[in-house]
Amino acid sequence: MRQLVKNSLNLFVAGFGCCKKEIYSTLGPTYDISRFGVNFVNLPEDSDVLVIQGFYNRTGERRLLDCYRSMEEPKWVIAAGKCIVDRSVFCQDYVLTDRLKNEIKIDFYVPGCPPRPEAFIYCILRILEIH
Amino acid sequence: MAKELYDGIYSSHKLIFVEKIRRNLEFYLKNKVRDIRLLGQEIFFNTDIDNLPEVLKEIRKNPEIEVDILSSINKYISKNRCILLINLSSVSNNFSMIIKASLKSPADDTETFAAEYNKLINQISAVYESAAFYLEGSKTEDRHFDIVLRSHILDGLDAFDTYLNAEEDIITKANISTRISVIPFYSITNKVTITELISKISRFDYNAGIFPELCFCLALEELMQLKVARRVQFIRMIISELSRISNHLSYIAKMATVLGSKITLSHILIEQERALRLIELVTGSRVHPNYIRVGGVRKDLNDEILKNISAGIKHLFKKIPIIESMLLDNTVITHKLKNTGQADRQAVLGCGVTGPNLRASGARYDLRKNRNLLLYREVSFLVAVGKYGDCLERLYIRFREIYQSIKIIDQLIGLMPDEHIRKLINLSELDMPYNKMVSSIECPHGVFKIYFEIEKNVVEKLVVMGPSRNSLYLAETILCGSRTEDIELILASLDISSGEIMQELPI
């Protein structure tokens, strides 16, 4: 199945935060991420790529893990934004990648606060290139 | 002559009026309140937690004070004590007040603390009904719900869960839980330097990031009695209005997505990108500008940038009527929007909603006009006011506000004073005594308010009171009686900004 749809990725963006605004702005005609065969979906079961961004608490972490587990293989994970790649902007002691390092394997990091839409598209192109 | 009258009478009249209210409060509540003072244009006082219900009753019922709206209840932890900030306002008399009270039980003993907090909220809700929204704990856990919308299901409405009971397709009860948005952010609200805070505060409203910065800098300028140059004020107004246009366009894009109007969505996203690029041209960033400074702005605008802004808004002025007609001349869309999520003026005021959502219901309340914000009195613009308070009116108000913003920017570019901007203050050498301050600003979602305590150049405590929490409470009210197919439309039409409903996780 992956061979058949290898140029088409379904993205699920978890969490809430400023990066989501920039990630969704790639949908518009200016950036038009859909010409690379990328769709945004709202169900983790449908998706191939999980985008982790924004702010989380324990409930949010639990929901993120549920989403990750309900995705089917093969799956990739993108960590977008400073709050996930590094420490949270709001709380220096909170590092999500450290807390979930045993449960989730992150494939790509997109730095920036928030990352520009071009940076996010570059990351998607790298996924399409590698796989 | 008219301008002199406006400047001379309006501002002084306002101060005399607020001063009169302050004296009335002192007279009626002299044993129950302490430390009563004016912070900016707001009245602030402390009270004991035992006296709080009586104080609130007096404030509500006394015709000389007449404060009838509970805007928000915020809490923060200081020295293991939970401190409540109760924000009340009176739209008819155009002033607001903040009451500070400290709970008795220690914050680390969670059970007794929650019991005391909930008991107090119940007492407050006997006076102000909308206080019930701020009850903590499991109002959603023990009950059965027919429909549960988790936060990630709805794009852009992702910081809260919606629990609904329905009979056939009519919603009978709605509960909104913001448990997901209680996150740790004590590095930004406790002991943070002014410069660091200015660079980070825009995360509290990332749809229009300039407004939190502006609100904070205006508060500090008022505290230090700094006189800011006219050119700086003009630049601030230009960038604020550009942010307002960008936010309203993203709102319209969200509505177009919900309504399934794909062609309109593409047109809006192009125009939103144009507005964002203008903001980027001025500030260097699309989302978090970090542009406003205490007593000034980071960078002056040269003629080329002004020319670009002028060309950009002219293009927007041509394009937005096309988008409006594509969306609102479509009878399928207008039939779907009309009479959906309707809320009358009293209901909206009772929830403490401000901004375009309030104006759509027929109340003319805009801080730009009502409180002499920046230099808005020097430009001519209308406050867009609706009548019916349904989804169609809310969408229509946003279009009207975009036109007014374009009009304001056009005037400001023409009137821009040619003067040299110099640095007024060096924050690293600031030695300010302990002080507290409240400031508010008209952001695209409503009245954005912050309270902070400051000593030297370190902000000891920051509390953000965003307007979107009130919109959530309004959503709870108007979802009851609506059809289940309209849930997403109603929630999208209220323009709820996720950044504003974030709350601090207790340490």
Side-chain angles (χ1 to χ4, degrees):
Chain A
M1 192 62 191
R2 166 86 350 236
Q3 285 301 312
L4 287 174
V5 289
K6 66 178 179 182
N7 289 325
S8 166
L9 289 175
N10 281 358
L11 261 66
F12 174 73
V13 186
F16 69 95
C18 8
C19 303
K20 201 167 191 172
K21 184 174 148 76
E22 287 292 78
I23 290 168
Y24 273 97
S25 71
T26 55
L27 270 173
T30 321
Y31 297 105
D32 202 8
I33 201 168
S34 53
R35 68 190 142 153
F36 304 116
V38 174
N39 305 310
F40 286 97
V41 292
N42 281 353
L43 280 177
E45 289 85 351
D46 274 357
S47 58
D48 309 306
V49 181
L50 173 69
V51 184
I52 307 176
Q53 57 81 42
F55 318 118
Y56 292 89
N57 57 10
R58 281 187 188 165
T59 319
E61 284 170 12
R62 263 202 307 278
R63 284 190 193 172
L64 181 68
L65 283 175
D66 288 347
C67 291
Y68 180 70
R69 284 171 193 146
S70 59
M71 285 166 68
E72 285 178 16
E73 292 286 345
K75 56 187 173 187
W76 298 280
V77 180
I78 299 173
K82 197 250 177 201
C83 295
I84 310 297
V85 173
D86 190 18
R87 292 160 188 281
S88 169
V89 173
F90 285 147
C91 177
Q92 293 296 310
D93 305 334
Y94 187 86
V95 188
L96 186 87
T97 43
D98 274 5
R99 290 168 72 93
L100 303 180
K101 65 184 172 191
N102 297 328
E103 281 90 358
I104 295 180
K105 179 183 164 288
I106 292 172
D107 300 294
F108 293 93
Y109 290 90
V110 191
C113 187
R116 288 187 66 88
E118 290 94 334
F120 188 72
I121 291 173
Y122 178 73
C123 173
I124 296 294
L125 290 179
R126 293 282 296 163
I127 295 182
L128 291 170
E129 215 173 75
I130 292 167
H131 302 281
Chain B
M1 183 65 190
K3 187 176 168 299
E4 281 171 23
L5 274 174
Y6 187 81
D7 287 353
I9 294 173
Y10 182 80
S11 52
S12 58
H13 170 258
K14 169 79 188 162
L15 278 177
I16 289 165
F17 178 73
V18 176
E19 183 63 26
K20 192 181 140 200
I21 298 267
R22 192 183 74 80
R23 282 186 189 166
N24 279 345
L25 274 172
E26 253 177 349
F27 177 74
Y28 288 114
L29 304 165
K30 57 186 165 193
N31 298 325
K32 291 167 191 161
V33 299
R34 56 182 190 278
D35 191 21
I36 181 163
R37 60 166 98 169
L38 282 179
L39 294 182
Q41 292 193 6
E42 326 244 346
I43 297 167
F44 177 89
F45 60 85
N46 281 321
T47 181
D48 283 334
I49 206 80
D50 300 329
N51 293 332
L52 188 63
E54 287 177 46
V55 170
L56 289 176
K57 258 181 215 167
E58 183 69 38
I59 289 171
R60 176 83 198 247
K61 286 175 184 164
N62 194 328
E64 288 193 43
I65 305 168
E66 206 191 341
V67 177
D68 47 357
I69 295 161
L70 177 83
S71 295
S72 64
I73 299 177
N74 290 68
K75 57 181 189 296
Y76 66 89
I77 311 286
S78 172
K79 293 174 187 164
N80 204 20
R81 283 270 180 270
C82 177
I83 293 165
L84 287 187
L85 287 179
I86 301 166
N87 181 14
L88 305 166
S89 55
S90 165
V91 170
S92 54
N93 288 336
N94 186 21
F95 78 98
S96 57
M97 62 168 70
I98 288 184
I99 305 172
K100 186 177 171 185
S102 169
L103 289 181
K104 282 176 185 168
S105 50
D108 52 2
D109 188 358
T110 45
E111 279 186 17
T112 44
F113 161 72
E116 192 190 352
Y117 174 78
N118 281 349
K119 190 182 161 196
L120 186 75
I121 294 290
N122 282 328
Q123 285 174 346
I124 298 172
S125 61
V127 189
Y128 293 99
E129 276 178 29
S130 55
F133 179 67
Y134 299 94
L135 275 174
E136 231 180 42
S138 56
K139 64 178 177 181
T140 52
E141 274 174 15
D142 307 332
R143 288 177 43 210
H144 166 73
F145 293 97
D146 301 324
I147 305 167
V148 178
L149 295 173
R150 293 279 180 207
S151 53
H152 60 259
I153 298 290
L154 308 173
D155 297 337
L157 305 163
D158 39 16
F160 55 89
D161 304 327
T162 316
Y163 298 82
L164 304 161
N165 284 96
E167 275 178 20
E168 295 186 347
D169 65 339
I170 304 291
I171 298 163
T172 50
K173 190 157 178 60
N175 275 103
I176 289 176
S177 161
T178 52
R179 194 174 43 176
I180 190 97
S181 61
V182 183
I183 60 159
F185 52 70
Y186 40 83
S187 337
I188 199 169
T189 53
N190 289 296
K191 295 195 189 309
V192 54
T193 57
I194 294 172
T195 41
E196 196 185 343
L197 187 59
I198 291 172
S199 67
K200 287 181 178 173
I201 198 171
S202 58
R203 272 80 180 169
F204 284 109
D205 183 5
Y206 45 77
N207 284 322
I210 201 83
F211 291 96
E213 286 175 21
L214 185 55
C215 188
F216 180 65
C217 289
L218 284 178
L220 277 178
E221 281 157 17
E222 180 131 5
L223 205 58
M224 296 177 205
Q225 295 291 311
L226 280 181
K227 194 169 186 312
V228 182
R230 270 170 61 81
R231 188 176 171 88
V232 171
Q233 303 275 42
F234 273 58
I235 294 171
R236 284 175 177 185
M237 282 194 282
I238 288 176
I239 188 69
S240 304
E241 293 309 316
L242 279 175
S243 298
R244 199 181 303 277
I245 292 172
S246 143
N247 178 79
H248 284 348
L249 283 172
S250 81
Y251 167 88
I252 297 164
K254 205 192 293 173
M255 289 293 278
T257 317
V258 176
L259 292 163
S261 177
K262 286 259 168 98
I263 303 168
T264 325
L265 177 66
S266 304
H267 279 267
I268 300 162
L269 287 175
I270 292 172
E271 298 315 318
Q272 190 198 348
E273 202 62 38
R274 196 182 304 280
L276 282 174
R277 286 194 177 175
L278 287 177
I279 293 170
E280 192 181 9
L281 187 73
V282 178
T283 66
S285 171
R286 288 155 58 93
V287 182
H288 303 306
N290 188 12
Y291 183 67
I292 310 289
R293 294 286 180 269
V294 180
V297 287
R298 197 180 67 214
K299 206 176 112 189
D300 193 8
L301 298 187
N302 57 29
D303 289 344
E304 198 187 329
I305 294 177
L306 285 175
K307 218 177 274 177
N308 278 329
I309 294 173
S310 187
I313 58 161
K314 266 179 199 148
H315 193 90
L316 280 172
F317 190 65
K318 275 184 204 156
K319 280 282 181 177
I320 287 177
I322 300 172
I323 294 170
E324 189 183 356
S325 63
M326 281 168 86
L327 210 56
L328 297 182
D329 289 355
N330 186 338
T331 46
V332 177
I333 288 176
T334 44
H335 272 279
K336 196 166 165 46
L337 291 170
K338 201 166 186 182
N339 298 332
T340 308
Q342 201 164 13
D344 63 351
R345 188 174 181 270
Q346 278 311 313
V348 178
L349 280 173
C351 295
V353 175
T354 46
N357 292 341
L358 173 65
R359 295 195 282 273
S361 298
R364 190 183 296 272
Y365 185 67
D366 190 331
L367 282 196
R368 289 178 292 174
K369 285 267 189 197
N370 289 31
R371 208 176 270 183
N372 275 349
L373 207 63
L374 296 169
L375 290 177
Y376 278 107
R377 62 175 182 272
E378 295 196 5
V379 287
S380 141
F381 69 102
L382 294 172
V383 178
V385 181
K387 192 175 177 187
Y388 303 106
D390 53 4
C391 290
L392 181 62
E393 199 74 73
R394 280 181 220 127
L395 185 56
Y396 189 64
I397 284 278
R398 261 68 176 202
F399 278 112
R400 297 272 82 77
E401 288 207 352
I402 290 175
Y403 294 135
Q404 295 302 325
S405 294
I406 290 173
K407 190 179 165 189
I408 292 172
I409 296 172
D410 194 35
Q411 289 177 60
L412 288 171
I413 291 172
L415 295 169
M416 180 71 85
D418 192 16
E419 59 182 308
H420 176 65
I421 301 175
R422 60 188 176 82
K423 194 175 178 182
L424 288 179
I425 191 162
N426 189 354
L427 288 175
S428 59
E429 291 165 7
L430 189 69
D431 192 12
M432 194 188 285
Y434 175 80
N435 225 324
K436 45 191 133 184
M437 192 63 192
V438 182
S439 174
S440 48
I441 196 164
E442 182 77 28
C443 85
H445 318 107
V447 177
F448 186 93
K449 196 175 277 191
I450 58 169
Y451 163 85
F452 61 87
E453 292 166 14
I454 190 168
E455 191 169 16
K456 290 183 179 169
N457 63 351
V458 177
V459 177
E460 298 283 333
K461 193 72 219 173
L462 171 83
V463 181
V464 176
M465 307 170 200
S468 289
R469 290 189 72 79
N470 302 89
S471 301
L472 274 185
Y473 180 56
L474 179 67
E476 269 192 1
T477 319
I478 62 179
L479 275 175
C480 299
S482 305
R483 293 160 71 91
T484 45
E485 66 202 33
D486 298 331
I487 298 168
E488 197 176 356
L489 184 62
I490 292 171
L491 288 173
S493 78
L494 291 169
D495 197 11
I496 294 158
S497 170
S498 310
E500 282 171 8
I501 55 179
M502 284 191 300
Q503 283 178 299
E504 189 171 358
L505 189 74
I507 301 165

